Amino acid sequence: MSKNRRSIKRKVRRLKSKYLFFKSSLDEMNDLLPEYDLEWNRDRISILKAFSSTEKNAEDSHVHAEESLSKCKVRPASEQEKESKSEKLEDEKIESLKRQDAPGWAKDLYKQIAKKTHPDILDGDDSLLAGVFQRAAAIMQKGDYSELVDLCIDLDISINSSSDKIASILYDRIKGIKAEIVKIEGNPAWVWGESFGLPDLRLQIAKALLKDNGVDSPGDIEIADLIFQIEN
């Protein structure tokens, strides 16, 4: 094995480990977020009601937009069917060419996936894995081979490849996951939920909430007392 190929394999292994770490973190955050949303909405209302001089309407206002309809000329059904069949044949030709032109790394990953999920191997014992095989086959037809990397990771298949393309795919996946994590971390519900038991931080959040809603902020002691009551 050449020095360059070994270096790329090492990079792929490291990127896969990073991907799994960040994906696990994102999955945990997504599991917690609905609970934090409920908590934030409940506590936010409690804080605003406690210090608002006038009661505000709590109901959400809904804006109903009228649907716009565009007129279109309807062609005869026979003409549409002929065109549909022609397009289908053309699509099948393109998909066949894509399967033939698939890069070596994609073919290798597809074969590894097939070894674990092909219906002939499963013998009807696992419909879930059979569905994964169908998805892998669709990916090969579609030509979006990067999704094969995701399937391999989900199936815990070793990606023992020296392809720079796989390293690039993993890098992009990690970048995307990090962006999602940053977005969640900026969500007020997440900040409030994660600040449980941190009175100084919750005090600052509550003061910002009151200010943003045009409510005159009382003293820190009064707000801190309410936060204590909320948490207990």
Side-chain angles (χ1 to χ4, degrees):
M1 181 186 296
S2 69
K3 186 176 180 180
N4 185 50
R5 288 182 62 192
R6 178 173 292 184
S7 175
I8 295 173
K9 279 192 173 186
R10 183 164 54 246
K11 183 195 295 185
V12 168
R13 288 197 304 271
R14 289 175 177 173
L15 286 170
K16 181 185 175 183
S17 296
K18 284 185 178 181
Y19 170 89
L20 289 171
F21 170 77
F22 285 112
K23 187 175 185 297
S24 176
S25 298
L26 180 60
D27 289 343
E28 290 179 7
M29 293 173 79
N30 281 323
D31 287 342
L32 281 170
L33 193 55
E35 179 184 338
Y36 284 176
D37 275 329
L38 291 173
E39 181 184 339
W40 168 242
N41 287 327
R42 181 195 67 213
D43 295 348
R44 176 177 58 82
I45 292 171
S46 296
I47 294 169
L48 290 174
K49 279 186 176 181
F51 301 115
S52 295
S53 56
T54 59
E55 189 173 344
K56 296 182 180 180
N57 187 356
E59 295 181 2
D60 294 327
S61 60
H62 299 280
V63 178
H64 299 282
E66 294 183 357
E67 293 182 358
S68 60
L69 301 176
S70 58
K71 296 181 180 180
C72 59
K73 185 178 179 181
V74 180
R75 292 172 296 162
S78 58
E79 183 180 338
Q80 291 183 14
E81 288 173 2
K82 286 180 183 179
E83 189 169 313
S84 178
K85 288 180 180 178
S86 176
E87 290 176 353
K88 186 177 180 182
L89 288 172
E90 189 63 29
D91 289 343
E92 288 175 353
K93 288 180 183 178
I94 293 172
E95 288 175 357
S96 177
L97 288 172
K98 283 181 178 178
R99 286 195 297 271
Q100 294 172 15
D101 295 338
W105 63 266
K107 291 178 181 178
D108 290 340
L109 294 185
Y110 177 71
K111 287 177 182 176
Q112 291 184 65
I113 293 169
K115 287 178 181 178
K116 272 198 169 186
T117 63
H118 196 283
D120 291 344
I121 296 173
L122 299 173
D123 196 23
D125 291 337
D126 196 324
S127 58
L128 186 61
L129 284 179
V132 174
F133 175 77
Q134 292 175 356
R135 183 183 167 193
I139 290 169
M140 292 297 287
Q141 291 180 346
K142 189 171 57 175
D144 188 6
Y145 308 116
S146 63
E147 294 182 28
L148 294 173
V149 176
D150 301 317
L151 286 183
C152 283
I153 292 175
D154 290 342
L155 293 168
D156 197 25
I157 293 175
S158 176
I159 304 178
N160 189 27
S161 173
S162 59
S163 171
D164 257 332
K165 179 61 178 176
I166 292 181
S168 176
I169 291 169
L170 287 170
Y171 177 80
D172 288 340
R173 291 290 191 272
I174 293 168
K175 186 177 178 181
I177 291 173
K178 283 183 175 180
E180 290 185 58
I181 289 174
V182 169
K183 184 177 180 181
I184 292 176
E185 288 177 337
N187 186 321
W190 178 263
V191 178
W192 183 256
E194 286 291 286
S195 65
F196 183 85
L198 301 173
D200 290 342
L201 180 53
R202 283 206 157 182
L203 174 63
Q204 297 305 316
I205 298 170
K207 289 171 70 174
L209 172 67
L210 294 171
K211 182 179 179 181
D212 290 343
N213 284 271
V215 178
D216 292 334
S217 180
D220 289 0
I221 294 176
E222 287 88 343
I223 300 175
D225 285 344
L226 178 60
I227 291 172
F228 179 81
Q229 293 173 29
I230 287 172
E231 292 189 350
N232 295 276

